[in-house]
Amino acid sequence: MTKAIQTPVPRTPRGQRAKHDTATPKKATPKPKPTPKATPKAKADEPKTPKDKQKLSTDSAPSAKRRKKTDGDLESRVFFNSRLNAHEADTEQFQPTREDRQLYDAARSAAALEEAKVTGCAVDASTPASTPGAVSVGYRVKKIRIGSYEIDSWYISPYPDEYSRHPLLYICEFCLKYMKSSYTYTRHCQKCTLRHPPGDEIYRDGSISVFEVDGRKNKIYCQNLCLMGKMFLDTKTLYYDVEPFLFYILCEYDARGYHFAGYYSKEKRSVQGYNLSCIMILPSKQREGYGKLLIEFSYLLSKKEGVSGSPEKPLSDFGLLSYRSYWRRAVYEILLHVGERARVVTIDAVSRKTGMTVDDVISTLQTDGMLQRKGVSYAIVVDKARIERFVELAREKAPRRIDSSKLRWAPFLTKNTTVVQEDDGDISV
């Protein structure tokens, strides 16, 4: 048997490569290299060498001499034109403490009690006095100052709570912005550039003008207008949703601008055919014929559109009185004018001439006892002497009237509207 003799291989010192390898070593399986971790990019300001680090540490930590120099520079600086020194200009020392908070709550509670005595509102005893909102929300603006007038309010208007707490509210007569103090009101009047309502002037007769304002284009103005109108209207419930409405502002003109006197509003698309939603005249401008003037103006626009109109129900007390007076005057004038030409007058003819609905015409005739039943049908019984006497008394008062020739206006919606041509001849049926 032959045995294989293995020759020993001399060891190679470390760091040197063997020159002669008699035996071929086995190849070692390479180990998977670990994935290198992503090293964050060095920032531009980060030091790269130890010298840079040492230099940065010496620069970032000022010495005592440097601190003294900085404090000296702070003391030598000028604050508010030498009115404050460095200690007084330091705001960090004025942070409120717990005692300051207690003093503030006590002062706030005392002010709330004093304001409740002035406004006549009760204080909720169940809520701690130091808690915000301790005073009840039963506030009411008692007066408004608009222009040169100070007017008492009739009803509660939902102004924001911070404004409702004040018994007197200041309102700009041009932009209708409301303010809490006389100082703010005076400053606003000096800077306000608006001298007329933000809309189109569609009617002018002497010193009287009417502007049409779109609630969608001038939302803030119309909201302020509705909030002020609620002070004098009990049945008004709309304050902020003004986009579906058109507002017609009645103004008095002078050298300073167009001063607010009253307004009425109507829906852009009224399903019931209303030509007026609400009407309001300032108490300082009442008893001057402005209410009937706006009512007549609303019916003029209805006739311009070729439709009959009626106010939205229910009417307020003053609104009902004004409308009944206007309806009576309008119907009597038509009966007196048409009665001279035709012996027979129909309710539809009166409705076309006045722009009133048939229901309003019938209601006016029934109230005055001029609609009587004859058999199956009804007939209009005209007392000519009574009508002439009423018309003469109305003309003696010289009321304000609308001149249709001075209207410069086109309907807001012209689709599906037909113009009714009036015939000045015989309107009998």
Side-chain angles (χ1 to χ4, degrees), residues 57-68 70:
S57 62
T58 55
D59 291 342
S60 60
S63 60
K65 294 182 179 180
R66 188 169 181 178
R67 290 196 193 94
K68 291 181 180 179
T70 305

Side-chain angles (χ1 to χ4, degrees), residues 95 237 280 300 304 334:
Q95 295 293 335
T237 57
M280 188 276 294
L300 176 62
K304 192 80 172 178
I334 294 298

Side-chain angles (χ1 to χ4, degrees), residues 194-212:
L194 198 63
R195 285 296 175 267
H196 59 81
D200 301 327
E201 186 179 13
I202 61 176
Y203 180 83
R204 181 189 296 179
D205 186 7
S207 61
I208 303 299
S209 295
V210 179
F211 289 81
E212 183 183 53

Side-chain angles (χ1 to χ4, degrees), residues 25 80 265 268 272 302 307 321 347 429:
F80 299 100
S265 63
K268 298 176 183 177
Q272 294 83 1
S302 296
V307 296
L321 292 175
I347 294 178
V429 177

Side-chain angles (χ1 to χ4, degrees), residues 310-331:
S310 178
E312 186 175 346
K313 311 303 189 300
L315 292 170
S316 62
D317 296 337
F318 287 99
L320 184 60
L321 292 175
S322 299
Y323 262 97
R324 282 181 177 175
S325 177
Y326 172 78
W327 287 339
R328 183 179 290 109
R329 187 186 69 184
V331 171

Side-chain angles (χ1 to χ4, degrees), residues 248 250 262-264 279 281 290-298:
Y248 296 90
L250 178 66
Y263 85 100
Y264 84 89
I279 181 172
I281 305 296
Y290 286 145
K292 293 180 182 178
L293 186 74
L294 285 181
I295 293 173
E296 185 178 1
F297 187 81
S298 66

